[in-house]
Amino acid sequence: QQQVRQSPQSLTVWEGETTILNCSYEDSTFDYFPWYRQFPGKSPALLIAISLVSNKKEDGRFTIFFNKREKKLSLHITDSQPGDSATYFCAASETGFASALTFGSGTKVIVLP
Amino acid sequence: DMKVTQMPRYLIKRMGENVLLECGQDMSHETMYWYRQDPGLGLQLIYISYDVDSNSEGDIPKGYRVSRKKREHFSLILDSAKTNQTSVYFCASRRTRVSYEQYFGPGTRLTVL
């Protein structure tokens, strides 16, 4: 049972466009939602995160929008750059010291110049 | 500079052989994790360790065991490796009660023939 779902599986955009990545979850106990970015051949690294108390989180060109009622999140990357080409993972967990992340299957983004 | 190390980076083993993957971190992080990453499946949690000799099964523990005798070291052991354990294995660590961010090591690519 996949508790965190991502769509699309892959996405190609042109430089300068806005990239939109989608994520949904099922477990109502999840209250922390990080996005990790993984470049080819590298390890995942935290990009941006949001908790249940917020509807939106911005960090430069990256913004998370959160619809708690529908259990859906989206990551928007404005002015996409070729250097943004990577796989993006949505994850979720409960807060608490014993928490573990449940990862989605990822969205591979290619930004063409 | 926070760092998680993994050894070896690449490993080829024959089916039935024992495998030892090592992970180290120099940040005194209490919590450490082992994940495997397969194409299209994202990161799947194998084991989580909350501190020395305090380990819990993750989502896919079958065929694996772990050892944590020092806070900075966390080992993943495959007794009698199987071909379906061919994967990329990532170790991660987190400073419990301070942050939910997980820091990932560079990964070990394991091939079981």
Side-chain angles (χ1 to χ4, degrees):
Chain A
Q1 182 189 1
Q2 196 174 10
Q3 294 196 52
V4 177
R5 289 191 172 87
Q6 289 187 248
S7 64
Q9 231 177 347
S10 62
L11 183 60
T12 300
V13 300
W14 293 103
E15 182 175 357
E17 290 184 334
T18 296
T19 301
I20 300 175
L21 311 178
N22 300 305
C23 177
S24 64
Y25 65 96
E26 297 175 5
D27 194 331
S28 297
T29 62
F30 289 153
D31 54 10
Y32 170 71
F33 305 91
W35 287 80
Y36 280 74
R37 179 175 62 185
Q38 184 178 30
F39 293 110
K42 302 295 184 182
S43 54
L46 179 66
L47 179 63
I48 187 173
I50 195 167
S51 65
L52 212 56
V53 299
S54 304
N55 295 319
K56 181 181 174 182
K57 178 76 176 289
E58 279 184 88
D59 185 355
R61 296 185 294 109
F62 301 90
T63 302
I64 300 174
F65 293 93
F66 190 10
N67 184 327
K68 295 167 213 177
R69 185 177 59 83
E70 295 187 7
K71 297 181 185 171
K72 291 182 177 179
L73 303 93
S74 61
L75 175 67
H76 292 224
I77 308 172
T78 57
D79 188 24
S80 298
Q81 301 296 309
D84 295 329
S85 298
T87 299
Y88 293 78
F89 292 97
C90 174
S93 77
E94 301 174 40
T95 48
F97 83 94
S99 65
L101 289 171
T102 298
F103 283 86
S105 55
T107 295
K108 184 176 181 180
V109 173
I110 298 173
V111 182
L112 299 174
Chain B
D1 195 21
M2 300 189 174
K3 194 169 184 181
V4 179
T5 59
Q6 290 186 238
M7 293 290 289
R9 295 292 314 279
Y10 302 90
L11 188 60
I12 299 175
K13 287 285 193 178
R14 296 199 177 277
M15 191 169 59
E17 291 185 329
N18 297 332
V19 176
L20 174 64
L21 304 184
E22 310 247 41
C23 175
Q25 47 97 2
D26 60 0
M27 302 167 280
S28 295
H29 285 179
E30 298 91 341
T31 307
M32 297 185 74
Y33 310 80
W34 276 106
Y35 295 91
R36 65 177 282 176
Q37 184 175 35
D38 301 290
L41 291 179
L43 291 135
Q44 300 177 83
L45 180 65
I46 305 171
Y47 267 94
I48 180 171
S49 175
Y50 300 108
D51 213 324
V52 172
D53 284 331
S54 178
N55 308 317
S56 285
E57 295 180 344
D59 298 321
I60 52 163
K62 187 177 179 182
Y64 304 94
R65 61 183 175 93
V66 291
S67 175
R68 192 161 178 208
K69 298 301 181 185
K70 292 183 180 180
R71 177 172 281 187
E72 60 269 24
H73 290 130
F74 189 31
S75 302
L76 180 68
I77 302 122
L78 289 67
D79 295 314
S80 186
K82 300 172 181 54
T83 54
N84 62 8
Q85 292 177 308
T86 293
S87 187
V88 179
Y89 291 86
F90 286 102
C91 173
S93 73
R94 174 171 81 94
R95 180 99 182 267
T96 314
R97 296 186 180 88
V98 172
S99 168
Y100 290 101
E101 180 175 0
Q102 294 185 22
Y103 295 86
F104 283 82
T108 295
R109 183 174 293 275
L110 171 67
T111 302
V112 181
L113 302 175

